[in-house]
Amino acid sequence: MTIEAPPEASAKVPANSLLTSPILPTLLRLTLPNAIAMVGTTLVAVAETAYIGRLGIEPLAAIALVFPFVMLTQMMSAGAMGGGVSSAVSRAIGAGDRDRAATLALHAVMIGLLGGLFFTVVMLSFGRQFYMLLGGRGGVLEQAMQYSQVLFSGAVSIWLVNTLASVLRGTGDMRMPSATLIGVAIIQIVVGGALGLGLAGLPQLGMRGVAAGQLIAFSLGAMFLAWILVSGRSRLTLDFRAFKFQRVMFLDILKVGAISCVAPLQSVLTILIFTKILAGYGTATLAGYGMGSRLEFLLTPISFAFGVASVPMVGMAVGAGMVARARRVAWTAGAASGLVVGLIGLIVAVHPVLWVSMFTSDPGVTAAAYSYFAWAGPAFAFFGLGTCLYFASQGAAKVGGPVLAGTGRLLLVALGGWWLVSIDAPAWALFALVGAAMVLFGLGVAASVWLTRWGN
């Protein structure tokens, strides 16, 4: 049985609407700005693909090589380590200790700097080898390197934007991070397109120009968020002059963030392994899967929006000793995410033409995409549930179970896919495997939340 905080524990917590307001309306209010920001991120991907396409086929193939590593950078800094930052800050605020929250934020900045430098060193040193392993050769490889070298030379800016945004989210402020990310998206589209294509009299820098647009946008975003936090315009004010290294602060963030970093690796590996398996079934089948996975990619921000909104609500409730409320927040967010994502999955399972017809009329590709949605679409609800509960678990600093559930999904896809290929199973069996892996992930995360004790 969960025990709420005694009156004397609650008395020291300052008035905080996230601890007292009705759960669902508050959750939806926090989710909306995140959802809008995620739409902006999606538009960037569409716009960038469009103007890279004008540069030629080789640049399009090159961006496909670099994309998994760009996504890994974003997912680790925003959803994984960023979740650890938001969790630590929100738990401190929930406990009524704003000084600790501000100190945690300063340590988070250090982690962001180190994380960005790590990606810079790794990708500048081994990027070519990574892209060659994925099949990059000749002109495609050189185009990938042009984009990669510019972008990852400034990986610190990406990490700082997502780290500082996570600090603000940990205070319950979703509007400022979302507005900043929308601004970053607009700058990236305009500057990247102008430099890449040589618009408005600017030199045409090709892939280097496209990457420079992203680098400039995130650098400006990092400086803006830093100014917001230092100038006293946020719910926390950072004073870098008062910074003192405290090992316990790093541990508070890393006990969630470091473990959470395994999850993006699992996601990328799952996609790469399954893509490799399906490549043996022919171009049409692989393209059909691509139609499905593209929708899956666009639905992820919905779960992200609900999940990120739940982190400060759960974290503050746990910090204040209100564990029962924290659990209600988690299940409410998970149910909402699962319902929205699952409804879209059911719609495309019954009427796949609504999505597929926007991209292709090829009979082989269409048939493969229809098969994918018929088998995997009904399982989207479990994916939405599991992804959202993963973030809620970050808020409670209990992320081990959800990460293990992700490991189960990865193993099922890898081992199950290998076995199906060995018996010459039809493509629909592999699509059914994708659905089964989503169900396993969703139920696994839900079971871990149900069974894990939250609070001290």
Side-chain angles (χ1 to χ4, degrees), residues 151-397:
L151 178 64
F152 286 107
S153 66
V156 165
S157 64
I158 297 175
W159 271 78
L160 283 181
V161 164
N162 289 325
T163 299
L164 296 173
S166 297
V167 170
L168 291 171
R169 291 190 184 111
T171 69
D173 181 1
M174 301 292 163
R175 293 184 179 180
M176 184 57 70
S178 298
T180 302
L181 289 176
I182 292 171
V184 167
I186 293 172
I187 294 172
Q188 181 178 341
I189 291 173
V190 173
V191 177
L195 292 176
L197 299 175
L199 304 177
L202 294 173
Q204 183 175 345
L205 302 179
M207 292 294 277
R208 290 189 179 92
V210 175
Q214 185 168 347
L215 182 58
I216 292 169
F218 273 90
S219 297
L220 292 174
M223 289 187 286
F224 175 73
L225 288 177
W227 174 72
I228 289 292
L229 283 161
V230 171
S231 63
R233 288 171 171 79
S234 66
R235 298 173 187 178
L236 282 182
T237 301
L238 304 188
D239 184 1
F240 288 95
R241 295 170 299 178
F243 176 79
K244 293 182 180 178
F245 176 83
Q246 297 181 47
R247 181 171 175 269
V248 67
M249 298 294 176
F250 278 116
L251 293 178
D252 197 7
I253 296 172
L254 294 176
K255 71 180 182 182
V256 176
I259 298 174
S260 297
C261 281
V262 176
L265 288 171
Q266 292 171 335
S267 299
V268 171
L269 280 174
T270 300
I271 294 171
L272 291 177
I273 289 172
F274 201 74
T275 301
K276 181 71 174 178
I277 290 172
L278 277 180
Y281 282 75
T283 303
T285 300
L286 183 59
Y289 168 68
M291 297 293 101
S293 62
R294 185 175 302 174
L295 179 60
E296 195 179 318
F297 167 73
L298 294 177
L299 292 179
T300 299
I302 297 176
S303 297
F304 180 88
F306 278 104
V308 169
S310 74
V311 171
M313 293 183 69
V314 170
M316 290 183 190
V318 169
M322 302 168 65
V323 177
R325 177 179 173 85
R327 287 189 172 277
R328 287 197 298 272
V329 171
W331 290 117
T332 302
S337 173
L339 180 63
V340 174
V341 176
L343 180 61
I344 297 173
L346 288 176
I347 290 174
V348 295
V350 176
H351 300 291
V353 66
L354 295 175
W355 176 255
V356 179
S357 62
M358 293 190 295
F359 300 98
T360 184
S361 59
D362 181 89
V365 175
T366 299
Y370 279 24
S371 179
Y372 173 85
F373 284 124
W375 288 100
F380 280 14
F382 294 91
F383 175 75
L385 171 68
T387 302
C388 186
L389 288 179
Y390 157 77
F391 283 105
S393 298
Q394 286 184 320

